[in-house]
Amino acid sequence: MPRSPRTYNLGGIDRLLALYEPDGILIGPDGRTRQGLPFIRKTLEEPLELKGRMNSTNVYCIPFENMALLRAHFVIETSDADGNPLRLEGHTSEVVRKQQDGSWLYIVDHPAGAEISPPRLT
């Protein structure tokens, strides 16, 4: 399965984009659907700017043939411009597809898709 927390913590947009199929879909923080790597890039650049540390725990993985539905709980620990601690926390929903080389890539990524309300910043 994709290694989002480790990849996020290493930094670099190209590492994150490598976790997506070229026509993958990412739901942005505003709820809008973005399809394709150029649009996904623009959406992922903002969380990378937080320069935080992400921890993630898989809640479930439901495989079906060459796809799987995932849900995870994530926490990003960072600080604001004044050095005060900030914590972004939420639950994700994703669909991944197994590639011919055995790797798994996101085809649908909804970072707040398993939340009743949007992820919160505390």
Side-chain angles (χ1 to χ4, degrees):
M1 300 295 154
R3 301 280 186 198
S4 299
R6 183 177 67 194
T7 305
Y8 174 87
N9 293 336
L10 288 171
I13 190 69
D14 292 330
R15 286 185 179 108
L16 282 175
L17 289 175
L19 300 175
Y20 293 83
E21 286 193 0
D23 290 329
I25 294 172
L26 175 66
I27 309 303
D30 59 2
R32 292 181 49 209
T33 299
R34 280 127 173 119
Q35 185 170 10
L37 295 179
F39 296 103
I40 293 172
R41 171 185 290 273
K42 289 179 184 176
T43 304
L44 291 178
E45 286 173 339
E46 185 176 330
L48 275 177
E49 290 173 6
L50 293 173
K51 296 186 172 136
R53 175 118 181 111
M54 179 189 287
N55 290 304
S56 181
T57 304
N58 288 332
V59 176
Y60 60 73
C61 172
I62 303 171
F64 177 75
E65 296 177 0
N66 70 334
M67 289 189 253
L69 173 64
L70 309 174
R71 179 174 188 234
H73 172 255
F74 72 90
V75 175
I76 298 175
E77 305 268 354
T78 188
S79 57
D80 66 15
D82 296 325
N84 300 311
L86 291 175
R87 178 179 168 108
L88 179 64
E89 180 175 6
H91 288 88
T92 67
S93 293
E94 301 104 358
V95 178
V96 293
R97 182 174 13 225
K98 191 171 188 177
Q99 307 298 299
Q100 288 185 344
D101 66 2
S103 65
W104 293 81
L105 296 179
Y106 292 115
I107 55 176
V108 177
D109 182 4
H110 194 336
E115 293 291 338
I116 294 171
S117 59
R120 60 189 184 280
L121 188 60
T122 58

